[in-house]
Amino acid sequence: RNFFTKRTKELKPAVQSAPGWKLFGKVPPRENLPKDSKIIQQEYEARTGRMYKPPPQSARRKNIEFEPLSTTALILEDRPANLPAKSVEEALRHRQEYDEMVAEAKKREIKEAHKRKKIMRERFKQEENIASAMVIWVNEILPNWEGMRATRRVRELWWQGLPPSVRGKVWSLAVGNELNITPELYEIFLSRAKERWKSFSETSSENDIEDAVASVADREASLELIKLDISRTFPSLYIFQKGGPYHDLLHSVLGAYTCYRPDVGYVQGMSFIAAVLILNLEEADAFIAFANLLNKPCQLAFFRVDHSMMLKYFAAFEVFFEENLPKLFLHFKSYSLTPDIYLIDWIFTLYSKSLPLDLACRVWDVFCRDGEEFLFRTGLGILRLYEDILLQMDFIHIAQFLTKLPEDITSEKLFSCIAAIQMQNSNKKWAQVFASLMKDNKEGDKNHSPALKS
């Protein structure tokens, strides 16, 4: 009766009064206190009349000068008395094998020590580069932003990654504020969102909320979906979970945007973008950057689920896919593996869900510099990085691999692959290829994707 009770103190009287296993004729159980090993030995000697004497040290070990400190040293042990002793040759061979094992272990330790030192040197070098770059950004580039942003020196420095201390400021300047949103406007839409949240019934279930969002034309109803989705945003980071310092902040930014753009509403994936901005900007500035970022043609097409525009982007991606990675392109074609299967998730979250957060921020750095083209160039860089692996896989394994990329992906390897991608086809750059696809409606019809049709 008390088996599942939380109050463990009540278990003791229940055990003492238990009738035992009457079915098998057993007596009631009794509490046996744990005995010390010496007491058990004394009771055994009293019953048997024998005295236990441990074998002397010399009897157990012969011709051994030390205690083995690991299983490696057991090779030097003598055999038990009931087995034939080792020959001189065998003993010498075992000693040689042991010395070789110890030498190999020392080599591994030295190699690992060198590796750790190399990592530390690279880390110190990276920190020094970030510190020196920060000085240049703060003292030279940011005060003269409009005049210097397009210079070759700034673009090269930008490619190497922005210092975290200036990242938010550079993102804001690069994204711009074409919508002319002010902090006061953010407060207005935030207060509207809070009113809408109060108006929702507290007894509504999650299924009722999702049904309402699907059926109601007013997409402000998707405000309730935000609560369900925030906990899925960077689940390994406590700061965005309920009770975390940034949970309510993320909730507010997403809610204000849903009221600001009811024609778009809240769409899964937005929470990752807003979270990355919140990590680098103040609340109102994060909302301004968020709204302007989602107003870009590519993001607007994806978040409004504009199928025809999305297909144009996929078609343009495939043009450069075939140009840069012809073998992998044919391999994907043989399995009818279309870009939407992996690109949608990458573009919706701007790689913040698929890549490690620090690497995703570096992708964002260059995305703010180069625009939508870099999102697709990054996708091709990922495919180039894992080309050899992907060529050995079938449809299911490719889809699974690209949906959840390896966690050990490094910025050096990825960006070297991205740099090797040429965004030029028949002397046409990305913008020109995409513009020609926009003019040719028939070309878009030929590239319909099965996933989008469903």
Side-chain angles (χ1 to χ4, degrees):
R1 189 182 302 141
N2 294 325
F3 190 74
F4 292 100
T5 182
K6 294 181 180 177
R7 295 163 64 185
T8 54
K9 292 182 179 179
E10 296 180 358
L11 286 173
K12 289 187 178 179
V15 171
Q16 290 174 356
S17 61
W21 299 98
K22 291 185 178 179
L23 180 65
F24 301 101
K26 296 284 183 74
V27 296
R30 62 185 179 182
E31 292 186 6
N32 293 322
L33 297 173
K35 296 180 180 179
D36 186 63
S37 58
K38 291 182 180 179
I39 297 173
I40 295 172
Q41 183 180 333
Q42 290 171 2
E43 289 179 354
Y44 170 77
E45 291 172 354
R47 285 199 308 270
T48 60
R50 297 177 183 177
M51 292 293 290
Y52 173 74
K53 295 181 179 180
Q57 188 74 14
S58 59
R60 289 193 300 118
R61 305 184 188 279
K62 293 179 181 179
N63 302 325
I64 196 92
E65 298 176 354
F66 62 91
E67 291 284 337
L69 299 178
S70 68
T71 54
T72 304
L74 290 176
I75 195 171
L76 299 178
E77 287 277 4
D78 290 335
R79 293 200 183 101
N82 59 331
L83 295 176
K86 293 181 183 179
S87 64
V88 177
E89 293 80 6
E90 188 178 11
L92 289 173
R93 179 164 54 83
H94 284 177
R95 164 61 69 177
Q96 184 179 358
E97 290 175 356
Y98 172 75
D99 291 340
E100 289 174 356
M101 285 188 282
V102 171
E104 192 65 31
K106 287 181 178 178
K107 284 182 183 177
R108 284 198 302 269
E109 288 179 5
I110 293 169
K111 189 176 179 180
E112 289 174 1
H114 285 315
K115 188 177 179 181
R116 286 194 296 270
K117 286 181 180 178
K118 185 180 178 182
I119 292 171
M120 290 301 294
R121 283 198 301 269
E122 289 176 353
R123 188 174 296 171
F124 288 140
K125 185 179 178 182
Q126 187 179 9
E127 289 175 356
E128 288 175 0
N129 291 338
I130 290 172
S132 60
M134 184 188 67
V135 173
I136 296 171
W137 279 99
V138 171
N139 296 333
E140 299 180 31
I141 302 172
L142 290 177
N144 306 292
W145 174 252
E146 292 301 330
M148 295 190 66
R149 65 177 297 180
T151 61
R152 183 175 179 179
R153 181 195 175 200
V154 171
R155 288 182 65 82
E156 288 177 355
L157 199 62
W158 208 330
W159 174 268
Q160 295 169 11
L162 297 170
S165 58
V166 300
R167 178 167 272 154
K169 180 66 175 174
V170 175
W171 286 358
S172 294
L173 291 170
V175 171
N177 188 11
E178 294 179 357
L179 300 174
N180 294 318
I181 301 173
T182 61
E184 292 76 20
L185 191 64
Y186 166 65
E187 293 296 335
I188 291 170
F189 285 107
L190 177 57
S191 61
R192 177 173 175 78
K194 289 179 178 179
E195 289 174 5
R196 291 299 303 269
W197 279 321
K198 286 180 182 179
S199 66
F200 287 121
S201 173
E202 295 179 359
T203 58
S204 295
S205 66
E206 293 183 6
N207 292 332
D208 294 338
I209 293 165
E210 292 178 357
D211 292 340
V213 172
S215 60
V216 178
D218 179 11
R219 289 206 173 183
E220 282 189 15
S222 63
L223 278 167
E224 277 298 290
L225 281 179
I226 296 171
K227 292 181 180 179
L228 308 178
D229 213 31
I230 284 181
S231 60
R232 306 168 192 161
T233 306
F234 297 119
S236 59
L237 295 180
Y238 169 74
I239 54 177
F240 292 114
Q241 305 306 308
K242 193 169 184 179
Y246 286 177
H247 176 272
D248 293 340
L249 194 60
L250 180 57
H251 200 201
S252 298
V253 170
L254 293 172
Y257 178 79
T258 306
C259 290
Y260 172 69
R261 289 299 298 267
D263 58 320
V264 178
Y266 174 76
V267 182
Q268 276 191 334
M270 286 183 178
S271 59
F272 282 89
I273 298 175
V276 174
L277 290 170
I278 286 170
L279 288 172
N280 292 278
L281 290 162
E282 296 296 326
E283 183 176 352
D285 294 329
F287 174 78
I288 294 169
F290 181 71
N292 281 278
L293 190 59
L294 266 56
N295 199 51
K296 303 293 182 184
C298 181
Q299 278 62 52
L300 204 57
F302 275 78
F303 281 112
R304 296 183 76 170
V305 197
D306 186 338
H307 285 181
S308 62
M309 283 290 290
M310 291 169 74
L311 289 169
K312 299 292 189 302
Y313 280 109
F314 294 146
F317 174 80
E318 286 196 306
V319 168
F320 293 96
F321 188 1
E322 185 177 13
E323 179 75 21
N324 286 275
L325 305 167
K327 288 184 181 178
L328 190 61
F329 177 79
L330 292 175
H331 184 64
F332 278 28
K333 279 291 184 184
S334 67
Y335 285 111
S336 300
L337 199 149
T338 49
D340 54 271
I341 292 173
Y342 50 93
L343 266 186
I344 285 180
D345 192 43
W346 293 353
I347 302 299
F348 261 103
T349 61
L350 301 181
Y351 295 96
S352 57
K353 182 182 177 184
S354 309
L355 297 176
L357 186 56
D358 57 338
L359 180 51
C361 285
R362 190 172 169 190
V363 170
W364 278 46
D365 292 343
V366 188
F367 162 63
C368 290
R369 187 193 78 171
D370 294 350
E372 63 187 35
E373 174 187 331
F374 189 73
L375 295 178
F376 297 95
R377 190 181 180 189
T378 300
L380 292 172
I382 292 171
L383 295 179
R384 182 185 179 89
L385 179 60
Y386 297 111
E387 181 179 13
D388 295 337
I389 298 172
L390 294 169
L391 284 170
Q392 307 300 321
M393 294 182 176
D394 57 12
F395 180 94
I396 296 296
H397 290 94
I398 291 172
Q400 290 176 341
F401 183 88
L402 294 179
T403 302
K404 186 172 175 57
L405 295 171
E407 295 180 358
D408 60 348
I409 184 171
T410 61
S411 60
E412 291 77 14
K413 290 181 180 179
L414 177 58
F415 270 76
S416 65
C417 289
I418 294 172
I421 297 296
Q422 298 297 320
M423 296 301 284
Q424 192 164 335
N425 175 262
S426 301
N427 296 323
K428 288 185 178 180
K429 296 184 178 180
W430 169 268
Q432 294 170 317
V433 170
F434 186 74
S436 64
L437 287 169
M438 289 292 292
K439 291 178 182 177
D440 189 3
N441 293 326
K442 293 181 180 180
E443 186 69 22
D445 295 336
K446 289 179 184 177
N447 289 281
H448 276 295
S449 167
L452 283 176
K453 285 180 182 177
S454 61

